[in-house]
Amino acid sequence: MSTTAPTPSTTAPAPAPAPPRGPKRRPRYGSYGLELLMTAAAAVFLFPVYALVALAMKDPRQIAESPLSPPLPPTWANFGNAWSSASLGPALLSSTVITAASLLLLIALGSTGAYYLARRARGLGYGLYILFLLGIVLPFQLGMIPLYRLVDGLGWLGTYHGMVLFYTGIQLPFTVFLYTGFIRALPPDYAQAALIDGCDHRQAFTRVVFPLLRPITGTVIILNAVFIWNDFFTPLLYLGGSGKETVPVGVFSFVGQYVSDYGLVFAGLVLAALPVLVVFLLLQRYVIKGFAGGLKG
């Protein structure tokens, strides 16, 4: 009796049924409306910038005929005349020196002080942190007269170091507040690993912790630089008549002298705002990162 082996089936498996097609998506008119609203808001915020630049590149005849029309042809001579007539060169130098020196001190003192306060959240560290918060709440205008007498008694009126120490003291509480919130969100394991490897606390901070503070350092630079660069009252009070006036004071005197030629006035305003605008554009991505890290802590 012979047996035959079963032959394998050659029929192909049936294809899987196609998934049912869902309902056709309808256009989201709400998202379109939100985009239109954001576009309109951006146009509203950009209009003053357009007007400033357009007026800076027009001569008096063009401004009198159509002040808001595009500058055709543009008058680039306004910028050169504004630079030479308003002495913006020395003013830009004074603003740059004061802002840069103040930022260096704020970063050095604010980051190291915040590192101690963030890692010592109890006792003396907590009390010092509350003291810095009070420095944010209380307006510095309350101490303008005592501070002026102190600076005058030290012989620092009309000097760069007097302005640098003033801005460092005024902005240090806000800087410590930003750094403390960000450092609290960082795990302490990085510094502890550095200490185990043989570093002291200074080396652990400078080599391990401080490089991790790059986002909040960018935020500190932008916010403090904008405040120091645009401050008008303090340089007018402390540097008036010394020949070391900053850009806002120089532009103010320039506006009063050349108020009939608005092309020169707006050209001076553009030159005054350009440096801090460039810094903001270079470091703007760190602002959101710095605030997001601080909010986590």
Side-chain angles (χ1 to χ4, degrees), residues 23-46:
K24 187 178 180 180
R25 292 186 176 181
R26 298 180 179 179
R28 298 181 178 180
Y29 297 103
S31 61
Y32 295 155
L34 182 60
E35 292 178 1
L36 291 176
L37 180 61
M38 293 297 100
T39 303
V44 170
F45 282 102
L46 289 176

Side-chain angles (χ1 to χ4, degrees), residues 47 49-82 254 258 260-268 270:
F47 177 77
V49 179
Y50 162 76
L52 177 64
V53 177
L55 291 171
M57 293 189 294
K58 289 183 178 183
D59 55 29
R61 180 184 58 83
Q62 291 175 323
I63 295 176
E65 293 177 354
S66 54
L68 296 181
S69 62
L72 298 173
T75 305
W76 300 101
N78 288 337
F79 295 97
N81 295 333
F254 176 70
Y258 297 95
S260 59
D261 194 343
Y262 289 101
L264 290 179
V265 172
F266 284 100
V270 171

Side-chain angles (χ1 to χ4, degrees), residues 119-163:
R119 295 295 180 246
R120 297 291 182 93
R122 297 180 180 179
L124 179 61
Y126 182 76
L128 291 175
Y129 182 68
I130 296 299
L131 183 63
F132 277 109
L133 292 182
L134 291 177
I136 300 176
V137 175
L138 296 177
F140 76 92
Q141 288 84 358
L142 295 177
M144 287 302 297
I145 296 178
L147 286 175
Y148 183 85
R149 291 181 177 178
L150 175 63
V151 173
D152 187 19
L154 294 174
W156 289 353
L157 287 179
T159 61
Y160 287 147
H161 53 272
M163 292 297 302

